[in-house]
């Protein structure tokens, strides 16, 4: 017996993504396929999976909200071709328009993969498996199916002697057909030529008066062509989002995939249910994520860093061994072994050096903090450069905005800034300088000098008793003065008493 020759699958001639529907049940000004989960739009996930198959053409059928959808496509996948379906006459009509647009650019031959813009859980691996099975069997069309607990709303797969005979939509199904639990995912691999032939014979004789893409399978089967099916192992993959409750369900499933992936890669996730990770995030082994943490955008966390609880990190780079707690950061770079939080807000352009610290109730923006420098409490550091080994006291503020323009504050190495200091920019504090607590610094402080910039203290003695007699404050002051006087006279009297006793 000869082994079957396993020919490597050929890349699809085209992937068509249908995304023209309105998605009424989202009740949204945003087109359905632009709603997001895990850091990407639904359509973005579908396009990303499709791209992994390296199709010769990637076509997206747009209709409702086409300006927004096309703009998103242009931004994320400039090579994708949007094709407009003015009126939504059904999935068959949408594919016909897409095939016509492709044909206008030249003959098409090979495999055409069709999928929908609102099924973001489908993986590239599954799409690839469908194309492979399709090409290996030489089917006219191969449909991706799933066995689901509740088939309501889906097209049912009607088989005869095991082979797919046709797909019947929910609204057109007989009670026996409605009981079938094998359903149409809406993903198909077609032979391009047979697809075009089938599309040209579609009618609108159905409950919705639409051209059903699903009818192409019945037409081809009726002509004696082979119609096959591939059933997904995990039926969750085919789930679509028609409303926001379903979108939340998909988001949770997708997130569980991502947290599962990162845990297998060596990341500790204490509470996967409250940890949300975007698709572009990159984590290294022995990262620890504590509960209620969101990692968004292109956030990267290096080996051994601990983040959480209660953190939202967006486009942030965290160095190895750093510790970030109860913080919101965006566009920040946190150095190796640095510490951030709690209740800390790091805004774009913040760069913390090695072992640097941005402590409790500290906000930073466009600020470079050198290695080992600490801003431990209640400070605002904006448009500033801080050198190495500095200590910036509690309540220090860089006054960077004069109402019109932003100005820079430059602090050298090993500078000590006392608490409650305002650094009024533009200003510079040079290496090794000290600033006295409570100063308002408006001029540059030379290296190694002490700057004191505050009113001198003056005590007006007896002021309370004169101006606030018979108050609790006055009585407390009087009692304190009497006690002080008594203590002094006792000190003075003691030796005199001893002398008298001796006499
Ligand atoms: C479709 C399938 C059904 C399958 C289900 C899986 C048909 C006739 N039925 O039903 O068998 O079980 O998907 O989710 O195909 N679209 C367009 N233009 C149109 C109509 C639809 O672009 O004119 C797009 C929609 O935006 C959507 C997708 O095609 O992304 C599916 O359309 P939808 O109306 O949701 O089809 P279903 O009724 O869910
Ligand atoms: Ca649908």
């Amino acid at each position: 017996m000869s082994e079957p020759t396993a020919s490597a699958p050929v890349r699809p001639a085209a992937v068509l993504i249908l995304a023209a529907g309105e998605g009424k049940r989202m009740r949204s000004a945003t087109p359905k396929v632009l709603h997001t989960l895990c850091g990407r739009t639904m359509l973005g996930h579908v396009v990303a999976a499709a791209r992994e198959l390296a199709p010769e053409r990637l076509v997206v059928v747009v209709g409702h909200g086409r300006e927004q959808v096309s703009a998103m496509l242009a931004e994320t996948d400039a090579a994708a071709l949007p094709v407009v379906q003015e009126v939504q006459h059904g999935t068959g009509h949408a594919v016909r328009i897409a095939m016509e647009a492709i044909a206008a650019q030249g003959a098409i031959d090979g495999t055409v993969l069709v999928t929908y813009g609102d099924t973001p859980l489908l993986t590239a691996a599954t799409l690839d498996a469908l194309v492979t099975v399709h090409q290996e069997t030489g089917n006219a069309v191969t449909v991706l199916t799933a066995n689901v607990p509740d088939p309501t709303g889906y097209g049912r797969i009607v088989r005869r002697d095991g082979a797919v005979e046709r797909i019947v939509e929910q609204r057109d199904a007989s009670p026996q057909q409605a009981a079938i639990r094998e359903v149409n995912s809406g993903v198909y691999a077609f032979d391009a030529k047979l697809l075009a032939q089938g599309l040209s014979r579609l009618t609108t004789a159905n409950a919705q008066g639409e051209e059903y893409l699903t009818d192409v399978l019945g037409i081809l089967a009726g002509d004696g062509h082979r119609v096959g099916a591939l059933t997904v192992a995990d039926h969750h993959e085919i789930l679509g989002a028609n409303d926001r409750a379903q979108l939340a369900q998909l988001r949770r499933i997708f997130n569980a995939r991502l947290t599962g992936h990162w845990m297998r890669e060596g990341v500790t996730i204490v509470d996967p249910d409250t940890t949300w990770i975007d698709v572009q995030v990159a984590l290294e082994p022995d990262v620890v994520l504590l509960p209620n943490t969101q990692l968004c955008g292109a956030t990267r966390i290096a080996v051994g860093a601990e983040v959480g609880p209660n953190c939202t990190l967006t486009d942030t780079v965290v160095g190895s061994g750093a510790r970030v707690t109860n913080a919101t950061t965006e566009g920040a770079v946190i150095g190796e072994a640095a510490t951030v939080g709690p209740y800390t807000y790091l805004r774009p352009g913040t760069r913390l050096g090695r072992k640097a610290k941005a402590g409790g109730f500290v906000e930073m923006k466009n600020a470079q903090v050198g290695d080992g420098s600490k801003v431990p409490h209640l400070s605002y550091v904006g448009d500033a450069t801080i050198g190495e080994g500095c200590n910036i006291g509690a309540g220090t503020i860089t006054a960077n905005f004069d109402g019109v323009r932003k100005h820079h504050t430059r602090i050298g190495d090993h500078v000590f800034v006392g608490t409650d200091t305002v650094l009024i920019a533009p200003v510079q504090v040079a290496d090794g300088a000290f600033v006295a607590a409570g100063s308002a610094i408006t001029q540059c402080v030379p290296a190694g000098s002490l700057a004191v910039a505050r009113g001198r203290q003056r005590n007006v003695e007896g002021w309370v008793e004169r101006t606030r007699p018979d108050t609790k404050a006055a009585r407390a002051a009087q009692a304190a003065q009497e006690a002080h006087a008594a203590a002094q006279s006792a000190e003075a009297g003691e030796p005199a008493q001893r002398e008298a006793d001796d006499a």
Side-chain angles (χ1 to χ4, degrees):
M1 251 173 60
S2 65
E3 293 283 316
T5 44
S7 53
V10 184
R11 54 200 280 236
V15 173
L16 315 182
I17 301 172
L18 309 192
E22 184 175 10
K24 273 199 192 74
R25 282 173 285 170
M26 296 301 275
R27 293 178 178 268
S28 177
T30 302
K32 174 161 96 171
V33 293
L34 295 191
H35 282 256
T36 61
L37 63 161
C38 306
R40 262 193 199 138
T41 62
M42 286 204 263
L43 179 58
H45 286 291
V46 177
V47 169
R51 268 292 170 227
E52 287 191 44
L53 274 58
E56 287 168 42
R57 310 167 185 80
L58 199 159
V59 177
V60 180
V61 179
V62 298
H64 281 281
R66 75 191 68 156
E67 293 82 11
Q68 284 165 274
V69 177
S70 302
M72 169 266 167
L73 264 186
E75 213 173 273
T76 57
D77 192 327
L81 173 70
V83 170
V84 176
Q85 184 191 26
E86 292 286 350
V87 186
Q88 283 69 55
H89 288 311
T91 49
H93 180 247
V95 171
R96 190 152 60 79
I97 283 177
M99 289 294 281
E100 283 164 11
I102 292 172
Q105 295 183 345
I108 173 165
D109 200 7
T111 303
V112 174
L113 186 84
V114 177
T115 185
Y116 297 161
D118 62 352
T119 51
L121 299 185
L122 276 164
T123 61
T126 297
L127 297 180
D128 200 50
L130 181 69
V131 171
T132 303
V133 166
H134 174 75
Q135 293 182 349
E136 282 176 2
T137 54
N139 287 337
V141 50
T142 311
V143 55
L144 187 72
T145 70
N147 290 303
V148 296
D150 176 11
T152 309
Y154 288 102
R156 310 299 203 278
I157 305 295
V158 179
R159 291 180 183 255
R160 172 181 292 191
D161 303 329
V164 177
E165 192 184 45
R166 60 198 208 98
I167 299 174
V168 180
E169 290 307 297
Q170 164 94 22
R171 298 193 215 199
D172 304 298
S174 67
Q176 293 100 305
Q177 289 167 336
I180 297 170
R181 292 200 299 120
E182 186 184 10
V183 301
N184 173 21
S185 68
V187 186
Y188 326 77
F190 285 98
D191 173 83
K193 291 223 158 65
L194 294 174
L195 171 61
Q197 285 176 25
L199 289 169
S200 70
R201 286 157 59 190
L202 286 181
T203 68
T204 55
N206 53 56
Q208 296 188 82
E210 292 183 345
E211 291 179 38
Y212 286 170
L213 178 61
T214 45
D215 285 350
V216 172
L217 281 77
I219 291 169
L220 295 179
D223 287 355
H225 293 289
R226 286 166 58 133
V227 177
L230 175 71
T231 307
V232 284
D234 177 6
H235 71 265
H236 289 119
E237 253 195 70
I238 72 152
L239 287 174
N242 294 308
D243 59 31
R244 299 188 201 226
Q246 287 172 342
L247 179 60
Q249 191 191 359
L250 300 199
R251 189 179 289 119
R252 192 164 279 292
I253 293 169
F254 206 123
N255 190 62
R257 249 189 218 169
L258 293 166
T259 53
H261 164 78
W262 288 118
M263 288 190 281
R264 285 190 297 277
E265 293 289 312
V267 173
T268 294
I269 301 180
V270 172
D271 184 10
D273 287 346
T274 64
T275 303
W276 296 88
I277 302 177
D278 280 357
V279 276
Q280 284 173 280
V281 168
L283 307 174
E284 288 183 6
D286 287 325
V287 162
V288 176
L289 302 178
L290 297 173
N292 205 20
T293 289
Q294 302 182 66
L295 305 178
C296 307
T299 291
R300 285 187 285 133
I301 305 180
V303 74
E306 187 174 299
V307 174
N310 312 316
C311 286
T312 301
L313 272 49
T314 305
D315 298 327
T316 294
V317 177
V318 181
S320 60
R323 175 82 185 85
V324 182
T325 181
N326 291 275
T328 298
T329 72
E330 191 185 341
V333 178
I334 296 165
E336 192 189 320
T339 57
V340 175
Y343 314 114
T344 307
Y345 183 25
L346 303 184
R347 294 164 50 200
T350 299
R351 295 184 79 92
L352 298 182
R354 200 174 164 275
K355 293 191 170 176
K357 178 178 180 121
F361 302 98
V362 168
E363 175 174 337
M364 292 189 181
K365 181 214 74 168
N366 188 26
Q368 287 81 55
V369 180
D371 292 353
S373 285
K374 295 184 177 10
V375 186
H377 333 271
L378 299 153
S379 290
Y380 172 67
V381 180
D383 300 306
T385 312
I386 298 175
E388 294 178 12
C390 294
N391 194 304
I392 309 299
T396 296
I397 304 288
T398 54
N400 58 334
F401 188 46
D402 62 11
V404 180
R405 265 184 297 274
K406 298 286 173 66
H407 301 281
H408 202 84
T409 297
R410 189 170 299 279
I411 295 175
D413 294 338
H414 301 286
V415 167
F416 179 96
V417 176
T419 60
D420 199 23
T421 291
V422 189
L423 299 161
I424 300 171
V427 75
Q428 186 180 352
V429 183
D431 292 352
F434 274 54
V435 175
S439 289
I441 298 295
T442 55
Q443 295 165 27
C444 292
V445 181
S449 45
L450 168 70
V452 187
R454 61 181 184 225
R456 235 172 217 295
Q457 182 170 335
R458 185 166 73 96
N459 295 335
V460 182
E461 285 188 15
W463 184 88
V464 172
E465 282 175 281
R466 281 201 304 282
T467 62
R468 311 263 186 288
D470 296 326
T471 60
K472 282 182 179 170
R475 284 192 286 278
Q478 203 172 0
Q481 278 158 2
E482 282 167 12
H484 182 68
Q488 271 188 336
S489 73
E491 223 170 78
E494 244 173 27
Q497 191 61 47
R498 236 179 276 123
E499 276 163 35
D501 290 347
D502 290 349

